[in-house]
């Protein structure tokens, strides 16, 4: 399986937490930058954050800094997005992406997305 597969989305109240997972093949996971994007209804897809495991750095868009954390489990070829203190404006379809040379992309592989809905 080359394409990432996201899971963990759902409905949560404002202030709550969710953890998204992104499973992929070792080959895809080995692409050293993996990222998360989201697309809200009627809006363009936006960068949420990324991780460059080769240098041990994470990158986040300003609106999620201090609330979201990206991590990876190399043994499981899985990327995570821990989302805390969720807000209604975080409601979107979240996508996992892999295979970029820079955090903002472009990315070579994309998952199908998982819906996150935050109720106020």
């Amino acid at each position: 399986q080359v394409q990432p597969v996201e899971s963990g989305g759902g409905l949560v109240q404002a202030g709550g937490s969710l953890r998204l997972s992104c499973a992929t093949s070792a080959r895809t996971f080995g692409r050293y930058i993996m990222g998360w994007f989201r697309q809200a209804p009627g809006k363009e897809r936006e960068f949420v954050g990324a991780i460059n495991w080769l240098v041990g750095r994470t990158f986040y868009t300003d609106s999620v800094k201090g609330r979201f954390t990206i991590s990876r489990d190399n043994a499981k070829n899985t990327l995570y997005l821990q989302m805390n203190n969720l807000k209604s404006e975080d409601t979107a379809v979240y996508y996992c992406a892999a295979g970029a040379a820079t955090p903002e992309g472009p990315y070579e592989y994309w998952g199908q997305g998982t819906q996150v809905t935050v109720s106020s």
Side-chain angles (χ1 to χ4, degrees):
Q1 170 186 321
V2 176
Q3 303 305 123
V5 177
E6 305 95 335
S7 62
L11 175 64
V12 64
Q13 289 188 333
S17 298
L18 278 177
R19 188 178 78 159
L20 304 184
S21 299
C22 172
T24 187
S25 67
R27 175 175 176 271
T28 303
F29 198 68
R31 301 299 182 104
Y32 59 89
I33 293 182
M34 294 188 68
W36 288 96
F37 289 74
R38 65 186 181 185
Q39 187 168 19
K43 296 186 177 180
E44 293 188 355
R45 186 171 61 193
E46 67 169 345
F47 173 78
V48 174
I51 184 167
N52 183 336
W53 70 266
L54 197 62
V55 298
R57 285 194 62 186
T58 52
F59 309 84
Y60 300 96
T61 191
D62 287 345
S63 62
V64 307
K65 285 180 181 177
R67 300 188 299 121
F68 290 12
T69 303
I70 295 174
S71 62
R72 53 187 284 161
D73 185 331
N74 293 335
K76 297 181 178 180
N77 297 328
T78 300
L79 182 73
Y80 300 102
L81 179 65
Q82 177 67 44
M83 305 184 293
N84 297 328
N85 190 22
L86 282 161
K87 305 176 181 180
S88 57
E89 52 263 42
D90 294 319
T91 295
V93 177
Y94 283 72
Y95 297 90
C96 172
T102 63
E104 293 82 7
Y107 285 79
E108 187 172 356
Y109 303 107
W110 290 85
Q112 81 290 344
T114 186
Q115 177 70 47
V116 172
T117 303
V118 184
S119 63
S120 57

